[in-house]
Amino acid sequence: MSKGKEMEGEDEIEDLCRNDSKHGSKKRLVARVGGSSSGEPQDADYSVVASLSDELALILARVPRSEYWKFTFVNKRFFSLLKSGELYKIRKEIGVKECSVFMLASGETSWWAFDRQFRSCKKLPILPSDVCFQTGDKESVCAGTHLIVSGKEFEGVVIWRYEFAANKWFKGPNMINPRCLFASATCGTCAFVAGGIGMETNWKVLNSAEKYNPETKSWEPLPGMHRKRKLCSGFCMDNKFYVIGGTNEEGKGLTCAEVFDEKKNDWDLIPNMLKDSPVSTSQSPPLVAVVNNELYSLEASSNELKVYLKGSNSWKNLGPVPVKADVARGWGVAFKSLGDELLVIGASSNSYAGHGMTICTCFPKPQADELHWRSLDKGCTNQMSHFILNCSVMGA
């Protein structure tokens, strides 16, 4: 290593340790990676970097997750930190977050994981469920480094979770109230679900809600919503969990929304939040995403993007999106927040028949009249169907 690069590395370590000390976390991080910070060798293996010092572990925690596989071949201790999940705890401590997109397209037998730019991809291990689960409808949400997939097996509704660190699927834990057609959202490192149809309550529409904690790998009950609803959507905004749209137990479309505040441990009703948007029982749940605490909606019937104006409880049109969401009434389209960008995946609007997948992102601006969408290189998605069955974004 040149002297210049060596000095740069020392400066980065100093900056990192200084930042960690502000939060009182350096001691915890040193304890987590093991041993002292003296720089003495910690493991004698065949690696190019024979020892993984505490400071180096902190630096490597900042490396993009898509590059981790390279380090596992040269250092046993790094591989141990990665496989145990400790490296992701270090990343959380120092505030490092990176987006990955998990997707299951029609006709695929395996889930795929993509980096933010869709330049690299990884095929996940085959989910070891029965044929009923494999061919049936599924719902997914991310919590920390867990991908949670809910569906029905022959014996009933089950949860399968993919743990990114272990690169392995595990069964359970099931929700307290197993359900389908529910709202879900990632809030912080936890996942929230609400509403839906109860699979153990004679298919009744629910108002119950739950929270999944990846640290304890368990579900916690939340207070019930004011309204029972199914085919609804969820999102996290201003550190609160929102549920919007759907239909009630009589099949009537709901224009109201509800918001759960963990600090108050209670729900507030928001009347007419969807008053300007058509509600149809044949449509998909509302396609919504939050970027920089602003709520955006993809209107399936018109292929138009809208932004929610909190002050007036109304919506502003931001122009068309580059997908044909109306081809299947909103089904088969992925509309997600990707850090500070919006992500949309679906049938290309440039194709008359709606065939051919398109993956586009944009930096949304509520004050803009129209947004500029950027097409991403599809890479290994070229042969995939444009119809997206499930899509979730993990930030860790």
Side-chain angles (χ1 to χ4, degrees):
M1 181 184 291
S2 68
K3 188 174 182 181
K5 288 190 176 181
E6 206 171 291
M7 291 177 66
E8 287 176 9
E10 290 174 0
D11 290 342
E12 189 171 358
I13 290 172
E14 286 299 318
D15 289 340
L16 179 58
C17 292
R18 185 160 49 246
N19 290 336
D20 292 331
S21 64
K22 288 181 182 178
H23 303 285
S25 59
K26 185 172 188 296
K27 286 184 178 179
R28 292 196 300 275
L29 295 178
V30 168
R32 180 167 286 148
V33 297
S36 68
S37 56
S38 62
E40 295 179 0
Q42 300 295 322
D43 57 353
D45 63 328
Y46 53 83
S47 64
V48 176
V49 185
S51 66
L52 186 62
S53 68
D54 303 325
E55 288 86 355
L56 183 56
L58 295 174
I59 295 298
L60 291 177
R62 295 183 181 276
V63 174
R65 283 191 279 110
S66 58
E67 300 294 318
Y68 279 177
W69 66 273
K70 298 176 182 178
F71 294 94
T72 60
F73 290 107
V74 298
N75 190 278
K76 291 179 180 178
R77 190 159 173 234
F78 181 88
F79 180 70
S80 177
L81 283 172
L82 179 64
K83 191 174 182 180
S84 67
E86 290 299 311
L87 199 61
Y88 295 104
K89 293 179 182 178
I90 296 174
R91 287 169 65 91
K92 181 181 176 182
E93 286 270 2
I94 62 180
V96 174
K97 184 180 288 189
E98 179 185 344
C99 289
S100 295
V101 180
F102 292 84
M103 191 167 71
L104 179 66
S106 178
E108 294 289 317
T109 57
S110 294
W111 283 74
W112 287 82
F114 303 88
D115 71 335
R116 179 169 176 161
Q117 299 297 329
F118 281 78
R119 290 173 182 163
S120 66
C121 60
K122 172 184 177 181
K123 193 174 185 179
L124 303 193
I126 294 291
L127 198 158
S129 60
D130 64 27
V131 67
C132 181
F133 189 96
Q134 294 169 5
T135 58
D137 292 335
K138 292 173 280 291
E139 293 160 90
S140 64
V141 64
C142 286
T145 55
H146 292 183
L147 169 65
I148 305 298
V149 183
S150 174
K152 190 176 185 301
E153 292 187 339
F154 286 118
E155 296 181 357
V157 178
V158 297
I159 294 286
W160 283 92
R161 74 180 191 278
Y162 170 76
E163 295 189 9
F164 194 91
N167 188 33
K168 187 176 180 181
W169 291 98
F170 298 89
K171 197 170 187 176
N174 283 352
M175 295 182 197
I176 300 169
N177 292 307
R179 64 192 75 205
C180 65
L181 302 178
F182 53 87
S184 66
T186 303
C187 295
T189 58
C190 295
F192 289 73
V193 301
I197 297 177
M199 306 298 282
E200 294 182 352
T201 57
N202 297 321
W203 300 89
K204 291 182 178 179
V205 181
L206 303 175
N207 69 335
S208 62
E210 306 177 33
K211 170 185 173 182
Y212 175 76
N213 186 336
E215 294 291 330
T216 60
K217 299 177 183 178
S218 63
W219 294 90
E220 306 166 13
L222 301 178
M225 297 185 292
H226 295 278
R227 300 283 188 272
K228 296 180 179 181
R229 60 179 79 207
K230 62 180 180 179
L231 286 167
C232 42
S233 293
F235 57 90
C236 186
M237 184 168 64
D238 298 321
N239 296 316
K240 299 175 183 178
F241 174 47
Y242 286 74
V243 177
I244 190 170
T247 61
N248 62 15
E249 59 269 41
E250 298 172 353
K252 182 180 178 181
L254 297 171
T255 60
C256 62
E258 301 196 37
V259 54
F260 177 71
D261 188 335
E262 267 200 289
K263 292 181 180 178
K264 298 193 303 182
N265 196 37
D266 199 8
W267 294 86
D268 289 322
L269 196 66
I270 307 175
N272 299 319
M273 194 170 180
L274 286 177
K275 61 183 178 182
D276 298 326
S277 301
V279 177
S280 171
T281 55
S282 63
Q283 278 188 197
S284 70
L287 298 170
V288 291
V290 172
V291 174
N292 297 325
N293 271 327
E294 299 288 349
L295 174 63
Y296 297 87
S297 171
L298 197 173
E299 182 54 63
S301 61
S302 63
N303 301 314
E304 297 284 327
L305 180 70
K306 295 182 178 181
V307 61
Y308 178 66
L309 306 178
K310 299 176 186 178
S312 59
N313 191 31
S314 61
W315 296 83
K316 175 187 173 182
N317 200 313
L318 293 177
V321 294
V323 300
K324 287 189 173 183
D326 60 335
V327 170
R329 302 182 302 280
W331 300 102
V333 173
F335 181 66
K336 301 290 179 180
S337 58
L338 193 63
D340 55 354
E341 293 182 280
L342 282 174
L343 167 71
V344 63
I345 309 173
S348 173
S349 58
N350 295 323
S351 172
Y352 177 76
H355 298 301
M357 177 191 289
T358 186
I359 304 173
C360 294
T361 62
C362 76
F363 293 98
K365 297 179 180 179
Q367 67 274 18
D369 293 324
E370 192 169 339
L371 302 179
H372 174 68
W373 291 90
R374 178 173 61 100
S375 179
L376 298 183
D377 180 13
K378 291 184 288 185
C380 52
T381 66
N382 276 327
Q383 303 303 316
M384 288 186 182
S385 166
H386 67 266
F387 196 91
I388 310 303
L389 298 175
N390 298 98
C391 182
S392 290
V393 176
M394 178 184 292

